[in-house]
Amino acid sequence: SSSSAGGATVLHAGPGLPVRWNYDPAEYTRQPGSHVGIKNLGNICYVNSIMQQFYMVPELRARLSALGDEGGAGGGHEAREADADLEKTRLLREIQQLFAHLSYNATHDCRPEGLCQAMTDHLGQPIDIRIQEDAQQFLLRLFDRLEPVTPAFADRFRGKLVTQMEHQGAVREGEEDFMCLSVQVRHLSSLEDSLANFIERTAIADFAWDEPPRPRVEIQRRTLLGRLPPSIIIHLERFTMNLTTFETEKLNSRFEFPQVVDFE
């Protein structure tokens, strides 16, 4: 509101409104096509990077948005199931809110305090923002927490691995699900090299191919990609165990990856 006194105009803040000086409109203006960042509250870069990658999958972003919209396609059924247990769905709601901020915030970043509080460990403790965790361990723990709440993440990222064991021309196969494909980095310089290394055969000695009393034999074993998910997450094994010092070390060697990967 405003009033006039002696020819001068005096501006008054409305009831309950904060008073702020040095206001810069540019601070609250997003350029067209620009993106909003996630504030690093301490050592949670591993959390922020995973959330940003999730956000940049349009199909996943749209499906999570529809979970809270009973008018959306399939959203009502999933939303009613999620609302049956609010405690379990708290983490999902925080991710939804974070995505909403990333889509519509006028500022340059958003703060993920709610997400860090909702993502608890087996003791019920929230994320300690002072401690950096392994990104893959956090990712798999996040998937475990979200799986009972919504199938959105499994439908987008779950694939199948096929393990083959060969002996004298006979082949036995087994399947297992994966949500994140881990590939080696040590002594390798590119993603193509790591994927080729991933499917290489390895020899396994003294293997019980047949029931006793038949002798144990040497077999060949390899793992192949059986079914690819719509979006695949590839984890680079940069943290390795030093068998001399028994300490975890990070490999900082150069590693190249193409813009397009052919998995055939």
Side-chain angles (χ1 to χ4, degrees), residues 183-205:
V183 296
Q184 291 186 16
V185 172
R186 183 181 290 276
H187 306 310
L188 300 170
S189 60
S190 69
L191 181 58
E192 291 96 331
D193 294 341
S194 292
L195 292 174
N197 177 77
F198 183 84
I199 63 174
E200 278 187 354
R201 288 179 171 85
T202 57
I204 301 179

Side-chain angles (χ1 to χ4, degrees), residues 217-247:
V217 297
E218 180 178 294
I219 68 167
Q220 296 290 320
R221 181 183 183 275
R222 68 171 179 172
T223 301
L224 304 172
L225 293 171
R227 179 178 61 80
L228 290 172
S231 299
I232 187 169
I233 299 174
I234 299 178
H235 164 244
L236 305 183
E237 296 179 355
R238 287 195 174 274
F239 288 94
T240 61
M241 175 64 69
N242 186 319
L243 298 180
T244 302
T245 62
F246 293 99
E247 294 181 351

Side-chain angles (χ1 to χ4, degrees), residues 22-145:
N22 298 323
Y23 172 75
D24 182 5
E27 185 179 351
Y28 294 90
T29 303
R30 287 177 60 181
Q31 297 298 322
S34 63
H35 297 287
V36 171
I38 304 176
K39 186 75 173 178
N40 190 346
L41 305 177
N43 287 321
I44 61 167
C45 54
Y46 64 97
V47 177
N48 295 359
S49 62
I50 289 174
M51 288 299 120
Q52 288 282 22
Q53 291 180 69
F54 283 165
Y55 177 79
M56 295 306 292
V57 179
E59 297 83 0
L60 177 64
R61 188 167 70 240
R63 186 166 180 183
L64 292 183
S65 298
L67 288 178
D69 179 10
E70 295 193 5
H77 173 69
E78 293 187 3
R80 285 192 295 271
E81 287 188 342
D83 289 340
D85 191 339
L86 295 179
E87 187 60 31
K88 287 184 179 180
T89 60
R90 180 187 174 192
L91 177 60
L92 176 61
R93 294 198 308 274
E94 291 295 342
I95 295 177
Q96 290 175 304
Q97 291 180 21
L98 181 65
F99 282 10
H101 284 300
L102 292 175
S103 295
Y104 304 112
N105 249 20
T107 55
H108 299 298
D109 59 40
C110 53
R111 300 178 63 88
E113 286 100 341
L115 175 63
C116 292
Q117 289 294 318
M119 184 59 188
T120 55
D121 59 18
H122 64 286
L123 297 176
Q125 297 300 312
I127 291 175
D128 189 338
I129 63 174
R130 301 166 300 177
I131 300 176
Q132 183 174 1
E133 295 185 31
D134 179 76
Q136 187 204 28
Q137 293 179 7
F138 171 78
L139 176 66
L140 297 180
R141 187 158 54 96
L142 182 67
F143 283 147
D144 287 342
R145 286 284 307 276

